[in-house]
Amino acid sequence: RVPAIVDHDVKGPDGQPLSIFESGAILIHLAEKTGKYLPKAPYERAKVLEWVMWQMGGLGPMGGQANHFRAYAPEKIEYAINRYTNEVARLWGLLDDQLEGREWIANDDYSIADMACWGWITLHQL
């Protein structure tokens, strides 16, 4: 279930193509490879990477747990449902604050931060 890609353009020390797993690592690799969606300027780059890491460490895992306990757990555990639902609501609040008055999550351009978060914020309802 872990996303993975193989980049045949990049070879490792053993001559084998580069395999990359985890969505954040894949997004960073592809952005660096294409020169798109990840600024080169240190400040702007840091802002994009902060939000990619925020999604990877917070929104994604917490959203996954909320979805599991709300929809798929064989036993309805109110503590778990409330804990993860409330955490996702808190994270969405942070994202709402970040997006206030702006079109994109980090900086003024579409980036891998927007890509990383999109699937977690477009289809879910609390």
Side-chain angles (χ1 to χ4, degrees), residues 29-58:
H29 173 74
L30 293 174
E32 289 176 340
K33 181 177 180 175
T34 64
K36 297 179 180 179
Y37 310 115
L38 181 60
K40 293 190 182 357
Y43 180 87
E44 289 80 9
R45 181 182 179 88
K47 294 300 154 194
V48 169
L49 292 175
E50 284 175 343
W51 284 98
V52 170
M53 299 306 149
W54 175 85
Q55 183 280 322
M56 292 171 47

PDB file of all heavy atoms in Angstrom, residues 29-58:
ATOM      1  N   HIS A  29      11.201  14.400  -5.085  1.00  0.00           N
ATOM      2  CA  HIS A  29      12.078  13.918  -6.164  1.00  0.00           C
ATOM      3  C   HIS A  29      11.602  14.428  -7.525  1.00  0.00           C
ATOM      4  O   HIS A  29      12.397  14.946  -8.314  1.00  0.00           O
ATOM      5  CB  HIS A  29      12.126  12.387  -6.164  1.00  0.00           C
ATOM      6  CG  HIS A  29      12.869  11.833  -7.335  1.00  0.00           C
ATOM      7  ND1 HIS A  29      14.244  11.887  -7.436  1.00  0.00           N
ATOM      8  CD2 HIS A  29      12.420  11.260  -8.487  1.00  0.00           C
ATOM      9  CE1 HIS A  29      14.615  11.360  -8.590  1.00  0.00           C
ATOM     10  NE2 HIS A  29      13.530  10.964  -9.236  1.00  0.00           N
ATOM     11  N   LEU A  30      10.312  14.267  -7.797  1.00  0.00           N
ATOM     12  CA  LEU A  30       9.794  14.688  -9.101  1.00  0.00           C
ATOM     13  C   LEU A  30       9.880  16.201  -9.282  1.00  0.00           C
ATOM     14  O   LEU A  30      10.172  16.679 -10.385  1.00  0.00           O
ATOM     15  CB  LEU A  30       8.360  14.196  -9.278  1.00  0.00           C
ATOM     16  CG  LEU A  30       8.207  12.676  -9.384  1.00  0.00           C
ATOM     17  CD1 LEU A  30       6.738  12.290  -9.416  1.00  0.00           C
ATOM     18  CD2 LEU A  30       8.958  12.129 -10.598  1.00  0.00           C
ATOM     19  N   ALA A  31       9.645  16.954  -8.216  1.00  0.00           N
ATOM     20  CA  ALA A  31       9.769  18.410  -8.299  1.00  0.00           C
ATOM     21  C   ALA A  31      11.208  18.812  -8.593  1.00  0.00           C
ATOM     22  O   ALA A  31      11.459  19.692  -9.435  1.00  0.00           O
ATOM     23  CB  ALA A  31       9.274  19.056  -7.009  1.00  0.00           C
ATOM     24  N   GLU A  32      12.149  18.179  -7.909  1.00  0.00           N
ATOM     25  CA  GLU A  32      13.561  18.500  -8.160  1.00  0.00           C
ATOM     26  C   GLU A  32      13.980  18.074  -9.559  1.00  0.00           C
ATOM     27  O   GLU A  32      14.720  18.782 -10.238  1.00  0.00           O
ATOM     28  CB  GLU A  32      14.444  17.839  -7.103  1.00  0.00           C
ATOM     29  CG  GLU A  32      14.300  18.500  -5.738  1.00  0.00           C
ATOM     30  CD  GLU A  32      15.091  17.820  -4.644  1.00  0.00           C
ATOM     31  OE1 GLU A  32      15.459  16.630  -4.794  1.00  0.00           O
ATOM     32  OE2 GLU A  32      15.333  18.471  -3.612  1.00  0.00           O
ATOM     33  N   LYS A  33      13.484  16.922  -9.999  1.00  0.00           N
ATOM     34  CA  LYS A  33      13.861  16.411 -11.317  1.00  0.00           C
ATOM     35  C   LYS A  33      13.341  17.309 -12.434  1.00  0.00           C
ATOM     36  O   LYS A  33      14.047  17.559 -13.409  1.00  0.00           O
ATOM     37  CB  LYS A  33      13.319  14.990 -11.486  1.00  0.00           C
ATOM     38  CG  LYS A  33      13.666  14.359 -12.812  1.00  0.00           C
ATOM     39  CD  LYS A  33      13.172  12.932 -12.893  1.00  0.00           C
ATOM     40  CE  LYS A  33      13.555  12.335 -14.243  1.00  0.00           C
ATOM     41  NZ  LYS A  33      13.210  10.918 -14.320  1.00  0.00           N
ATOM     42  N   THR A  34      12.106  17.786 -12.282  1.00  0.00           N
ATOM     43  CA  THR A  34      11.501  18.597 -13.342  1.00  0.00           C
ATOM     44  C   THR A  34      11.770  20.090 -13.189  1.00  0.00           C
ATOM     45  O   THR A  34      11.571  20.851 -14.127  1.00  0.00           O
ATOM     46  CB  THR A  34       9.975  18.390 -13.366  1.00  0.00           C
ATOM     47  OG1 THR A  34       9.416  18.862 -12.135  1.00  0.00           O
ATOM     48  CG2 THR A  34       9.623  16.934 -13.605  1.00  0.00           C
ATOM     49  N   GLY A  35      12.181  20.498 -11.990  1.00  0.00           N
ATOM     50  CA  GLY A  35      12.377  21.927 -11.737  1.00  0.00           C
ATOM     51  C   GLY A  35      11.064  22.676 -11.572  1.00  0.00           C
ATOM     52  O   GLY A  35      11.021  23.894 -11.707  1.00  0.00           O
ATOM     53  N   LYS A  36       9.979  21.934 -11.249  1.00  0.00           N
ATOM     54  CA  LYS A  36       8.658  22.548 -11.107  1.00  0.00           C
ATOM     55  C   LYS A  36       8.085  22.265  -9.721  1.00  0.00           C
ATOM     56  O   LYS A  36       8.371  21.233  -9.125  1.00  0.00           O
ATOM     57  CB  LYS A  36       7.689  21.992 -12.147  1.00  0.00           C
ATOM     58  CG  LYS A  36       8.086  22.291 -13.573  1.00  0.00           C
ATOM     59  CD  LYS A  36       7.095  21.676 -14.523  1.00  0.00           C
ATOM     60  CE  LYS A  36       7.474  21.964 -15.959  1.00  0.00           C
ATOM     61  NZ  LYS A  36       6.517  21.355 -16.892  1.00  0.00           N
ATOM     62  N   TYR A  37       7.266  23.184  -9.246  1.00  0.00           N
ATOM     63  CA  TYR A  37       6.440  23.015  -8.051  1.00  0.00           C
ATOM     64  C   TYR A  37       7.204  22.980  -6.722  1.00  0.00           C
ATOM     65  O   TYR A  37       6.621  22.681  -5.698  1.00  0.00           O
ATOM     66  CB  TYR A  37       5.548  21.769  -8.165  1.00  0.00           C
ATOM     67  CG  TYR A  37       4.796  21.735  -9.457  1.00  0.00           C
ATOM     68  CD1 TYR A  37       5.040  20.738 -10.398  1.00  0.00           C
ATOM     69  CD2 TYR A  37       3.863  22.717  -9.764  1.00  0.00           C
ATOM     70  CE1 TYR A  37       4.353  20.712 -11.604  1.00  0.00           C
ATOM     71  CE2 TYR A  37       3.171  22.698 -10.967  1.00  0.00           C
ATOM     72  CZ  TYR A  37       3.425  21.692 -11.888  1.00  0.00           C
ATOM     73  OH  TYR A  37       2.749  21.675 -13.073  1.00  0.00           O
ATOM     74  N   LEU A  38       8.484  23.285  -6.745  1.00  0.00           N
ATOM     75  CA  LEU A  38       9.294  23.399  -5.533  1.00  0.00           C
ATOM     76  C   LEU A  38      10.318  24.505  -5.780  1.00  0.00           C
ATOM     77  O   LEU A  38      11.267  24.304  -6.551  1.00  0.00           O
ATOM     78  CB  LEU A  38       9.992  22.081  -5.192  1.00  0.00           C
ATOM     79  CG  LEU A  38      10.857  22.063  -3.934  1.00  0.00           C
ATOM     80  CD1 LEU A  38      10.042  22.404  -2.685  1.00  0.00           C
ATOM     81  CD2 LEU A  38      11.532  20.704  -3.766  1.00  0.00           C
ATOM     82  N   PRO A  39      10.114  25.655  -5.155  1.00  0.00           N
ATOM     83  CA  PRO A  39      11.023  26.773  -5.418  1.00  0.00           C
ATOM     84  C   PRO A  39      12.475  26.446  -5.069  1.00  0.00           C
ATOM     85  O   PRO A  39      12.750  25.616  -4.209  1.00  0.00           O
ATOM     86  CB  PRO A  39      10.494  27.878  -4.497  1.00  0.00           C
ATOM     87  CG  PRO A  39       9.112  27.483  -4.133  1.00  0.00           C
ATOM     88  CD  PRO A  39       9.083  25.986  -4.182  1.00  0.00           C
ATOM     89  N   LYS A  40      13.362  27.132  -5.745  1.00  0.00           N
ATOM     90  CA  LYS A  40      14.792  26.978  -5.447  1.00  0.00           C
ATOM     91  C   LYS A  40      15.243  27.953  -4.357  1.00  0.00           C
ATOM     92  O   LYS A  40      16.168  27.663  -3.621  1.00  0.00           O
ATOM     93  CB  LYS A  40      15.603  27.174  -6.714  1.00  0.00           C
ATOM     94  CG  LYS A  40      15.354  26.063  -7.723  1.00  0.00           C
ATOM     95  CD  LYS A  40      16.322  26.120  -8.871  1.00  0.00           C
ATOM     96  CE  LYS A  40      16.135  25.090  -9.937  1.00  0.00           C
ATOM     97  NZ  LYS A  40      15.151  24.085  -9.842  1.00  0.00           N
ATOM     98  N   ALA A  41      14.598  29.093  -4.267  1.00  0.00           N
ATOM     99  CA  ALA A  41      14.959  30.091  -3.254  1.00  0.00           C
ATOM    100  C   ALA A  41      14.725  29.501  -1.863  1.00  0.00           C
ATOM    101  O   ALA A  41      13.659  28.919  -1.605  1.00  0.00           O
ATOM    102  CB  ALA A  41      14.138  31.357  -3.443  1.00  0.00           C
ATOM    103  N   PRO A  42      15.701  29.618  -0.967  1.00  0.00           N
ATOM    104  CA  PRO A  42      15.624  28.935   0.324  1.00  0.00           C
ATOM    105  C   PRO A  42      14.367  29.224   1.148  1.00  0.00           C
ATOM    106  O   PRO A  42      13.769  28.297   1.696  1.00  0.00           O
ATOM    107  CB  PRO A  42      16.876  29.412   1.057  1.00  0.00           C
ATOM    108  CG  PRO A  42      17.833  29.787  -0.022  1.00  0.00           C
ATOM    109  CD  PRO A  42      16.981  30.316  -1.147  1.00  0.00           C
ATOM    110  N   TYR A  43      13.951  30.467   1.255  1.00  0.00           N
ATOM    111  CA  TYR A  43      12.785  30.792   2.074  1.00  0.00           C
ATOM    112  C   TYR A  43      11.530  30.139   1.507  1.00  0.00           C
ATOM    113  O   TYR A  43      10.776  29.465   2.210  1.00  0.00           O
ATOM    114  CB  TYR A  43      12.598  32.307   2.175  1.00  0.00           C
ATOM    115  CG  TYR A  43      11.401  32.687   3.017  1.00  0.00           C
ATOM    116  CD1 TYR A  43      11.518  32.821   4.394  1.00  0.00           C
ATOM    117  CD2 TYR A  43      10.147  32.872   2.441  1.00  0.00           C
ATOM    118  CE1 TYR A  43      10.419  33.146   5.179  1.00  0.00           C
ATOM    119  CE2 TYR A  43       9.044  33.194   3.211  1.00  0.00           C
ATOM    120  CZ  TYR A  43       9.185  33.331   4.584  1.00  0.00           C
ATOM    121  OH  TYR A  43       8.096  33.641   5.353  1.00  0.00           O
ATOM    122  N   GLU A  44      11.288  30.345   0.217  1.00  0.00           N
ATOM    123  CA  GLU A  44      10.096  29.798  -0.422  1.00  0.00           C
ATOM    124  C   GLU A  44      10.117  28.271  -0.427  1.00  0.00           C
ATOM    125  O   GLU A  44       9.091  27.618  -0.232  1.00  0.00           O
ATOM    126  CB  GLU A  44       9.951  30.341  -1.846  1.00  0.00           C
ATOM    127  CG  GLU A  44       9.564  31.797  -1.913  1.00  0.00           C
ATOM    128  CD  GLU A  44      10.732  32.767  -1.695  1.00  0.00           C
ATOM    129  OE1 GLU A  44      11.900  32.317  -1.648  1.00  0.00           O
ATOM    130  OE2 GLU A  44      10.468  33.974  -1.567  1.00  0.00           O
ATOM    131  N   ARG A  45      11.292  27.699  -0.649  1.00  0.00           N
ATOM    132  CA  ARG A  45      11.436  26.237  -0.625  1.00  0.00           C
ATOM    133  C   ARG A  45      11.078  25.697   0.762  1.00  0.00           C
ATOM    134  O   ARG A  45      10.355  24.716   0.889  1.00  0.00           O
ATOM    135  CB  ARG A  45      12.865  25.858  -1.006  1.00  0.00           C
ATOM    136  CG  ARG A  45      13.126  24.376  -1.028  1.00  0.00           C
ATOM    137  CD  ARG A  45      14.600  24.106  -1.383  1.00  0.00           C
ATOM    138  NE  ARG A  45      14.888  22.713  -1.381  1.00  0.00           N
ATOM    139  CZ  ARG A  45      14.743  21.890  -2.409  1.00  0.00           C
ATOM    140  NH1 ARG A  45      14.275  22.356  -3.551  1.00  0.00           N
ATOM    141  NH2 ARG A  45      15.039  20.614  -2.312  1.00  0.00           N
ATOM    142  N   ALA A  46      11.589  26.343   1.801  1.00  0.00           N
ATOM    143  CA  ALA A  46      11.314  25.905   3.174  1.00  0.00           C
ATOM    144  C   ALA A  46       9.826  25.936   3.466  1.00  0.00           C
ATOM    145  O   ALA A  46       9.291  25.024   4.114  1.00  0.00           O
ATOM    146  CB  ALA A  46      12.084  26.770   4.176  1.00  0.00           C
ATOM    147  N   LYS A  47       9.132  26.969   3.004  1.00  0.00           N
ATOM    148  CA  LYS A  47       7.686  27.067   3.247  1.00  0.00           C
ATOM    149  C   LYS A  47       6.945  25.902   2.587  1.00  0.00           C
ATOM    150  O   LYS A  47       6.035  25.319   3.184  1.00  0.00           O
ATOM    151  CB  LYS A  47       7.135  28.405   2.752  1.00  0.00           C
ATOM    152  CG  LYS A  47       7.665  29.588   3.525  1.00  0.00           C
ATOM    153  CD  LYS A  47       7.280  29.456   4.987  1.00  0.00           C
ATOM    154  CE  LYS A  47       8.211  30.173   5.913  1.00  0.00           C
ATOM    155  NZ  LYS A  47       8.048  29.797   7.313  1.00  0.00           N
ATOM    156  N   VAL A  48       7.309  25.560   1.370  1.00  0.00           N
ATOM    157  CA  VAL A  48       6.671  24.423   0.699  1.00  0.00           C
ATOM    158  C   VAL A  48       6.979  23.129   1.450  1.00  0.00           C
ATOM    159  O   VAL A  48       6.075  22.330   1.728  1.00  0.00           O
ATOM    160  CB  VAL A  48       7.125  24.324  -0.777  1.00  0.00           C
ATOM    161  CG1 VAL A  48       6.688  23.005  -1.396  1.00  0.00           C
ATOM    162  CG2 VAL A  48       6.592  25.508  -1.583  1.00  0.00           C
ATOM    163  N   LEU A  49       8.232  22.918   1.812  1.00  0.00           N
ATOM    164  CA  LEU A  49       8.606  21.678   2.505  1.00  0.00           C
ATOM    165  C   LEU A  49       7.952  21.572   3.881  1.00  0.00           C
ATOM    166  O   LEU A  49       7.585  20.467   4.308  1.00  0.00           O
ATOM    167  CB  LEU A  49      10.127  21.558   2.607  1.00  0.00           C
ATOM    168  CG  LEU A  49      10.834  21.330   1.264  1.00  0.00           C
ATOM    169  CD1 LEU A  49      12.348  21.356   1.455  1.00  0.00           C
ATOM    170  CD2 LEU A  49      10.377  20.043   0.602  1.00  0.00           C
ATOM    171  N   GLU A  50       7.794  22.693   4.575  1.00  0.00           N
ATOM    172  CA  GLU A  50       7.083  22.666   5.861  1.00  0.00           C
ATOM    173  C   GLU A  50       5.683  22.091   5.701  1.00  0.00           C
ATOM    174  O   GLU A  50       5.257  21.235   6.487  1.00  0.00           O
ATOM    175  CB  GLU A  50       6.945  24.086   6.434  1.00  0.00           C
ATOM    176  CG  GLU A  50       8.182  24.645   7.031  1.00  0.00           C
ATOM    177  CD  GLU A  50       8.002  26.099   7.455  1.00  0.00           C
ATOM    178  OE1 GLU A  50       7.050  26.776   7.015  1.00  0.00           O
ATOM    179  OE2 GLU A  50       8.848  26.553   8.241  1.00  0.00           O
ATOM    180  N   TRP A  51       4.979  22.533   4.684  1.00  0.00           N
ATOM    181  CA  TRP A  51       3.600  22.088   4.496  1.00  0.00           C
ATOM    182  C   TRP A  51       3.519  20.667   3.952  1.00  0.00           C
ATOM    183  O   TRP A  51       2.587  19.930   4.269  1.00  0.00           O
ATOM    184  CB  TRP A  51       2.825  23.086   3.641  1.00  0.00           C
ATOM    185  CG  TRP A  51       2.478  24.282   4.468  1.00  0.00           C
ATOM    186  CD1 TRP A  51       3.139  25.486   4.512  1.00  0.00           C
ATOM    187  CD2 TRP A  51       1.429  24.371   5.431  1.00  0.00           C
ATOM    188  NE1 TRP A  51       2.560  26.312   5.434  1.00  0.00           N
ATOM    189  CE2 TRP A  51       1.492  25.653   6.016  1.00  0.00           C
ATOM    190  CE3 TRP A  51       0.435  23.502   5.864  1.00  0.00           C
ATOM    191  CZ2 TRP A  51       0.602  26.084   7.001  1.00  0.00           C
ATOM    192  CZ3 TRP A  51      -0.454  23.929   6.841  1.00  0.00           C
ATOM    193  CH2 TRP A  51      -0.359  25.199   7.392  1.00  0.00           C
ATOM    194  N   VAL A  52       4.511  20.247   3.178  1.00  0.00           N
ATOM    195  CA  VAL A  52       4.554  18.840   2.760  1.00  0.00           C
ATOM    196  C   VAL A  52       4.755  17.962   3.997  1.00  0.00           C
ATOM    197  O   VAL A  52       4.058  16.947   4.181  1.00  0.00           O
ATOM    198  CB  VAL A  52       5.666  18.587   1.713  1.00  0.00           C
ATOM    199  CG1 VAL A  52       5.863  17.093   1.464  1.00  0.00           C
ATOM    200  CG2 VAL A  52       5.349  19.302   0.405  1.00  0.00           C
ATOM    201  N   MET A  53       5.683  18.337   4.866  1.00  0.00           N
ATOM    202  CA  MET A  53       5.930  17.563   6.082  1.00  0.00           C
ATOM    203  C   MET A  53       4.727  17.608   7.026  1.00  0.00           C
ATOM    204  O   MET A  53       4.406  16.609   7.684  1.00  0.00           O
ATOM    205  CB  MET A  53       7.183  18.070   6.808  1.00  0.00           C
ATOM    206  CG  MET A  53       8.455  17.978   5.997  1.00  0.00           C
ATOM    207  SD  MET A  53       8.762  16.329   5.369  1.00  0.00           S
ATOM    208  CE  MET A  53       9.615  16.700   3.862  1.00  0.00           C
ATOM    209  N   TRP A  54       4.042  18.748   7.075  1.00  0.00           N
ATOM    210  CA  TRP A  54       2.837  18.878   7.891  1.00  0.00           C
ATOM    211  C   TRP A  54       1.793  17.868   7.424  1.00  0.00           C
ATOM    212  O   TRP A  54       1.165  17.196   8.233  1.00  0.00           O
ATOM    213  CB  TRP A  54       2.320  20.310   7.774  1.00  0.00           C
ATOM    214  CG  TRP A  54       1.024  20.574   8.464  1.00  0.00           C
ATOM    215  CD1 TRP A  54       0.834  20.891   9.776  1.00  0.00           C
ATOM    216  CD2 TRP A  54      -0.283  20.570   7.869  1.00  0.00           C
ATOM    217  NE1 TRP A  54      -0.507  21.072  10.035  1.00  0.00           N
ATOM    218  CE2 TRP A  54      -1.211  20.878   8.880  1.00  0.00           C
ATOM    219  CE3 TRP A  54      -0.748  20.328   6.571  1.00  0.00           C
ATOM    220  CZ2 TRP A  54      -2.579  20.959   8.643  1.00  0.00           C
ATOM    221  CZ3 TRP A  54      -2.107  20.412   6.339  1.00  0.00           C
ATOM    222  CH2 TRP A  54      -3.003  20.719   7.371  1.00  0.00           C
ATOM    223  N   GLN A  55       1.637  17.741   6.108  1.00  0.00           N
ATOM    224  CA  GLN A  55       0.679  16.772   5.586  1.00  0.00           C
ATOM    225  C   GLN A  55       1.131  15.348   5.912  1.00  0.00           C
ATOM    226  O   GLN A  55       0.329  14.529   6.354  1.00  0.00           O
ATOM    227  CB  GLN A  55       0.525  16.941   4.068  1.00  0.00           C
ATOM    228  CG  GLN A  55      -0.509  16.006   3.446  1.00  0.00           C
ATOM    229  CD  GLN A  55      -0.017  14.595   3.202  1.00  0.00           C
ATOM    230  OE1 GLN A  55       1.121  14.363   2.830  1.00  0.00           O
ATOM    231  NE2 GLN A  55      -0.886  13.633   3.420  1.00  0.00           N
ATOM    232  N   MET A  56       2.400  15.061   5.703  1.00  0.00           N
ATOM    233  CA  MET A  56       2.904  13.703   5.912  1.00  0.00           C
ATOM    234  C   MET A  56       2.845  13.275   7.373  1.00  0.00           C
ATOM    235  O   MET A  56       2.570  12.113   7.669  1.00  0.00           O
ATOM    236  CB  MET A  56       4.355  13.605   5.406  1.00  0.00           C
ATOM    237  CG  MET A  56       4.473  13.730   3.909  1.00  0.00           C
ATOM    238  SD  MET A  56       6.185  13.885   3.341  1.00  0.00           S
ATOM    239  CE  MET A  56       6.998  12.595   4.223  1.00  0.00           C
ATOM    240  N   GLY A  57       3.104  14.210   8.278  1.00  0.00           N
ATOM    241  CA  GLY A  57       3.145  13.867   9.698  1.00  0.00           C
ATOM    242  C   GLY A  57       1.855  14.111  10.451  1.00  0.00           C
ATOM    243  O   GLY A  57       1.679  13.619  11.564  1.00  0.00           O
ATOM    244  N   GLY A  58       0.930  14.861   9.847  1.00  0.00           N
ATOM    245  CA  GLY A  58      -0.291  15.219  10.562  1.00  0.00           C
ATOM    246  C   GLY A  58      -1.542  14.902   9.784  1.00  0.00           C
ATOM    247  O   GLY A  58      -2.277  13.970  10.093  1.00  0.00           O
TER     248      GLY A  58
END
